[in-house]
Amino acid sequence: VQLVESGGGLVQPGGSLRLSCAASGFTFSNYAMTWYRQTPGKERELVAAISGFGSNTEYADSVKGRFTISRDNAKNTVYLQMNSLEPEDTAVYYCARWRYWGPNEYDYWGQGTQVTVSP
């Protein structure tokens, strides 16, 4: 199993970024996929989750209405569209696979991609 994130970078407050996570080594549509984020000194936080065929999604309260998770099962890729970014969104963002639907059901992680929101 391999998960490779991309799309992070530096953006000004109010800007947008789209993160991608390319998956390989498993049947992608069989698994829910998620995005987490972490800042130094804090626990990793679930940002968004999407079920195998996209029928269910879940978001952290702090990103509802600003972030959108989606997936393309033909490309084995999950995305996180981040709009109206705030400095508080600065973190390393990780893609993770869930074995089952639930916040602690992760089993594989990507290496992370840094998102920095700063003037």
Side-chain angles (χ1 to χ4, degrees):
V1 173
Q2 189 171 21
L3 303 173
V4 180
E5 300 98 335
S6 61
L10 173 64
V11 63
Q12 292 186 342
S16 298
L17 280 176
R18 188 176 82 154
L19 305 183
S20 300
C21 173
S24 60
F26 63 101
T27 303
F28 186 64
S29 59
N30 284 355
Y31 293 87
M33 296 298 298
T34 67
W35 288 96
Y36 287 77
R37 66 186 180 187
Q38 189 169 26
T39 55
K42 293 187 177 181
E43 291 189 1
R44 200 167 291 190
E45 172 192 18
L46 176 64
V47 175
I50 187 167
S51 58
F53 289 95
S55 56
N56 290 337
T57 57
E58 181 176 312
Y59 295 92
D61 288 343
S62 58
V63 307
K64 282 180 182 176
R66 301 188 298 121
F67 291 11
T68 302
I69 189 171
S70 63
R71 64 191 296 158
D72 185 337
N73 287 347
K75 295 182 178 180
N76 287 358
T77 302
V78 60
Y79 304 97
L80 185 67
Q81 178 67 44
M82 305 186 294
N83 298 330
S84 301
L85 282 161
E86 303 168 352
E88 293 73 21
D89 297 316
T90 296
V92 178
Y93 284 71
Y94 297 90
C95 171
R97 187 182 83 167
W98 275 357
R99 295 167 295 186
Y100 306 103
W101 189 260
N104 296 316
E105 294 295 343
Y106 43 79
D107 58 358
Y108 288 95
W109 296 87
Q111 82 288 351
T113 186
Q114 176 71 46
V115 171
T116 302
V117 184
S118 180

